[in-house]
Amino acid sequence: MEKFKIHGFKKIDDMPGAGKVFELQINPESIKRNRAINMPSAPTGDASTQPAQFAGMGDETMDLDFIMDATGVLEGCPAFVDDLIKELTEVIFDYTDDTHKPNYLFIEYGTFSFRCMMTGFNSDYTLFDIYGRGLRAKIHLGLKKVEIETQKKSSPDMSHAFTIREGDSLPLLCKQVYGKMDYYLQVAEHNGLSNFRHLEVGSVVEFPPLQR
């Protein structure tokens, strides 16, 4: 079963395999993505009937809720839920020594991805042992999308080749080269790949110019 992963990177343009990763015990039942459009406010007292004007795209955000469990019902779970929260905190919240800020994040679940930074982190403890130690918690993350400037400079009209690393996936690499994941089947066909889900580490995959 595909696991929901949260990658932590020091650099905004890093890809899975370059930093720490936290894997959810239980995949979330839903993912809430929020998109907005900016509309300028009319001056106070302005009775104009002119329609509101478009002022650009607003922030894209995501709300993520999931469960952490240390009751023993899940294989490999720790003794206390605080151990899991500490692991997650090291990926999404703690300052890194050299950048002096929290990590950039990359959410990965199948073909779904979201490059972002954490804006909110709430832990709701729902079960304790007889000594008051946490055994289960509901986690809520607020996430805000971040853009990679270097992606805008890469041209889909040029060929690109990548040496596959652990954790790479064809849809995510297509997102990096072409700006969207939709072309992974065309890239797989170009490279003679019979199974795009399992890329051999160390192999070279070519991303050709594509007519879009």
Side-chain angles (χ1 to χ4, degrees):
M1 180 177 66
E2 189 75 20
K3 284 291 188 178
F4 193 103
K5 299 175 182 177
I6 303 174
H7 300 268
F9 303 134
K10 294 180 181 179
K11 297 190 297 182
I12 191 174
D13 57 349
D14 278 340
M15 293 296 289
K20 296 181 178 180
V21 60
F22 183 85
E23 187 175 286
L24 270 59
Q25 293 174 294
I26 306 169
N27 290 335
E29 293 184 0
S30 63
I31 301 169
K32 183 179 179 182
R33 295 184 69 175
N34 313 292
R35 297 178 173 89
I37 291 176
N38 293 328
M39 309 289 282
S41 300
T44 303
D46 186 358
S48 173
T49 58
Q50 292 295 323
Q53 299 296 312
F54 172 72
M57 304 303 292
D59 292 332
E60 183 173 348
T61 63
M62 187 171 88
D63 294 302
L64 179 63
D65 295 278
F66 56 93
I67 301 294
M68 287 183 171
D69 190 281
T71 62
V73 298
L74 299 175
E75 184 178 352
C77 70
F80 307 108
V81 77
D82 278 339
D83 296 331
L84 288 170
I85 292 176
K86 180 181 178 182
E87 289 181 30
L88 177 63
T89 300
E90 290 175 353
V91 174
I92 71 170
F93 186 77
D94 287 348
Y95 277 33
T96 59
D97 293 335
D98 48 353
T99 64
H100 305 292
K101 65 180 180 181
N103 284 325
Y104 293 102
L105 305 178
F106 188 88
I107 306 299
E108 180 186 16
Y109 184 40
T111 58
F112 173 82
S113 68
F114 192 72
R115 191 176 295 270
C116 55
M117 287 193 76
M118 187 274 296
T119 59
F121 179 11
N122 302 304
S123 307
D124 180 10
Y125 291 83
T126 59
L127 185 66
F128 300 86
D129 67 9
I130 61 173
Y131 302 104
R133 295 173 296 196
L135 296 179
R136 185 178 295 134
K138 295 179 181 178
I139 306 298
H140 171 79
L141 299 183
L143 305 166
K144 180 179 177 181
K145 185 176 182 180
V146 294
E147 299 285 353
I148 304 177
E149 293 298 327
T150 54
Q151 284 190 353
K152 299 177 182 178
K153 299 176 183 178
S154 65
S155 172
D157 300 322
M158 297 174 59
S159 291
H160 300 264
F162 288 85
T163 300
I164 300 303
R165 301 178 301 178
E166 186 70 30
D168 281 346
S169 73
L170 206 54
L172 294 179
L173 289 172
C174 285
K175 175 73 172 178
Q176 181 177 349
V177 175
Y178 305 116
K180 58 196 305 186
M181 297 183 182
D182 301 11
Y183 305 107
Y184 63 89
L185 291 177
Q186 292 163 270
V187 173
E189 182 179 0
H190 175 83
N191 287 273
L193 301 175
S194 58
N195 189 346
F196 73 89
R197 296 183 183 276
H198 300 288
L199 301 178
E200 183 179 352
V201 175
S203 63
V204 176
V205 174
E206 183 179 73
F207 293 77
L210 296 177
Q211 185 173 358
R212 301 180 295 162

